[in-house]
Amino acid sequence: MRRRTVGGVWARRWRYGAVCMVCALAVLLVGCGGATSATNTGSPGASGQPTKSAAGHAAATGVSTVTFTASGGLSGQISLSMDINKGNPGDLISYHLAAEKRFYLDLTDQSGSARQQFILDFTGYTGPGKYTVSPMQAGAAADEAVHFELIVQGSDLGNNLWLIDKSAAGTCAVEVISVTPIAHLDNAPSAPGSHPTLGYSEVDGSITCPSVPVYLADGTPPLTVSSGHFDVLMVEQQ
């Protein structure tokens, strides 16, 4: 789906009457979901409203962001951003695929001297709520689920890749706090895949990961992610 790059290594990188009305509304609010499985550990909207009445920073500016506090393999505050008003709008490939309950967040930051990327990819997504993302539970068909390709100052490669996938044990706690439909999105790209596009949304959430192993076993310590927050633009697909 997406490429991942580390030092020349490439791998495969979006009832009737009143009861019917309630059901239809529930479908609109719940949304859909990714390539690795996740366990829903909280009711949709448990810690926030399933939808917001007003768009936030990402919708207002066209800039998707991911921020978190890193320790272990890296330390300090990490911030990635992607502006669909600059460069190729096709870079916005984050999507929510309802038919597969798939949640695919892909934010690539190329604003600096080296490319940085964050991917969060899981199935079982049913809308706002809390999820435990665990690729090991997804079986052999699972793709990468949590991917941090980040700049490492002084590294010969310029960056390093930490990821949890079907070959690496680990879990991340993810909460999708709110999903805000966007009536109009400037520079909106074409949606990936063959599924009809329903529109776009702004997705606000959080992520924490106790231990994300490095992709190449070169002695680099695992990455610990805390206080993670994402505010991103997504394509909504059937």
Side-chain angles (χ1 to χ4, degrees), residues 55-210:
H57 182 267
T61 63
V63 179
S64 295
T65 57
V66 174
T67 60
F68 60 92
T69 301
S71 58
L74 282 178
S75 61
Q77 291 296 117
I78 306 293
S79 179
L80 281 69
S81 64
M82 183 172 66
D83 187 347
I84 64 170
N85 301 301
K86 298 179 180 179
N88 180 11
D91 286 340
L92 176 59
I93 63 168
S94 296
Y95 59 88
H96 163 209
L97 183 55
E100 298 179 5
K101 295 184 178 179
R102 182 171 189 171
F103 183 99
Y104 183 79
L105 190 166
D106 186 336
L107 191 157
T108 301
D109 186 336
Q110 302 189 94
S111 61
S113 58
R115 170 179 176 271
Q116 298 189 90
Q117 185 177 34
F118 168 68
I119 295 175
L120 172 61
D121 183 10
F122 65 91
T123 52
Y125 175 63
T126 55
K130 297 180 180 179
Y131 299 87
T132 298
V133 179
S134 180
M136 297 294 285
Q137 297 176 356
D143 194 3
E144 63 199 8
V146 187
H147 165 132
F148 296 89
E149 185 177 352
L150 302 168
I151 293 174
V152 180
Q153 299 298 332
S155 168
D156 291 339
L157 299 178
N159 58 9
N160 214 336
L161 172 61
W162 290 266
L163 68 86
I164 296 175
D165 65 3
K166 62 187 178 185
S167 65
T171 61
C172 291
V174 174
E175 181 174 9
V176 176
I177 299 169
S178 65
V179 177
T180 309
I182 300 173
H184 173 73
L185 182 62
D186 290 334
N187 299 313
S190 298
S194 60
H195 297 268
T197 299
L198 302 176
Y200 300 88
S201 63
E202 178 178 11
V203 180
D204 184 83
S206 65
I207 181 170
T208 59
C209 304

